[in-house]
Amino acid sequence: MDHFIKWKENQLPKTDIECCIEILKEEEIKKARTFHESFEQYSKTPLQNLQELAKEIGVGGVYLKDESYRFGLNAFKVLGGSFAIAKHMAEKLGKDISELGYETLISDETRKQLGDMLFVTATDGNHGRGIAWTANQLKQKSVVYMPKGSAETRVENIRKEGATVSVEDMNYDDAVRLAAKYAEENNGLVVQDTAWDGYEDIPTWIMQGYGTMALEAVEQLKELGIDRPTHIFLQAGVGSLAAGVQGVFANVYSGNCPTTTIVESNLADCLYRSAVAGDGEARAVGGDMQTIMAGLACGEANTIGWEILKNHSSMFVSCPDWVAANGMRVLGNPLKNDPHVISGESGAVTAGLLVEIMKNDEYKELREKLNLNKDSKVLLFSTEGDTDPDKYRSIVWNGECTK
């Protein structure tokens, strides 16, 4: 197994630089934010200021958005799925999403108009839990397919939300196809954050839902006196989160977007491979993709997201599992006076990468290409907490998955 970090500067042909981020303009994202605020469980997740870590690795600041606090679900994913479902219901009702808060959606009148609904999805855990939670909140049904190797804790957390869950002997991308087939055959709505020909509205709305997290981060940075981060590191599976956040920042800082690095598992690095290919077309990765970064174990890019990333991101990086494991340990065992962050395997890979780039001269060229230095203000997103607690302890306590 390759234990080295691989990277490729974005030299891809640019196509629709402005058009591709239209869907993530601030006015659109504010609609998602307003919808999320209508839930009583809503609150901004913390932006942790890791001052001591920044000093230790030689940058001007490290700011980490901790999504383990999101809606009590230990991950950010619910932002996308809940908004997509609400947008779908709004269309069915002939209304704008701005007219539909949580209380309206669960009202007897709305249920009478829409009847029973079935939401279907495929997931490694966090997205499916968000869909199941939303369906449960809205008093509707959900069916969730999961790929082989899914952690039992993640399976049970989805079942606890009332979903019908099936773990299949297939990888994530095949589970997506199975979910789409089931939805079509059972008059359900497939709610997936990856796009394909003819299936683009739902993933667009999901990406807009993720934008709530990005807008919060912009506001919280300003509260800390940071008008603009110089660098952002974003983890990617199909690329919906990465593209959603990238698009928001490209709009907010139009003409002066922070340098953005897209980070993947080396066992599911479809975006990195697409960057290496260099022709602008998305490449796929097949096989089992048995990385500890379960949330990133996706081999086929969201086609909408890929357009955004190839036009606006600066660097694509492919990371072995030890990078994520190191990130978990760094965040979970902070330097004195820094906050303690419980970050799961997919949540911590960007922190692990940043530390490695700054501390290891083996990656000096990458550090210089990114222009990371003592003046850099770096924004990270810890997208999940310990969504698989046994795995978390095995890595952080027992030293599983070292370099």
Side-chain angles (χ1 to χ4, degrees), residues 320-331:
D321 281 351
W322 63 261
V323 178
N326 281 358
M328 294 166 69
R329 297 182 190 111
V330 167
L331 296 175

Side-chain angles (χ1 to χ4, degrees), residues 228-232 246 249-250 253 256-260 312 314:
R228 171 187 168 275
T230 60
H231 296 77
I232 307 172
Q246 173 73 90
F249 276 87
Y253 300 100
N256 192 24
C257 186
T259 298
T260 310
H312 291 276
S314 305

Side-chain angles (χ1 to χ4, degrees), residues 84 184 207 211 303 305:
E184 186 177 355
M207 289 164 62
T303 53

Side-chain angles (χ1 to χ4, degrees), residues 127-144:
H127 173 69
R129 189 179 184 187
I131 297 301
W133 179 86
T134 303
N136 195 20
Q137 294 286 312
L138 300 177
K139 302 170 187 175
Q140 301 288 1
K141 293 181 180 178
S142 60
V143 171
V144 178

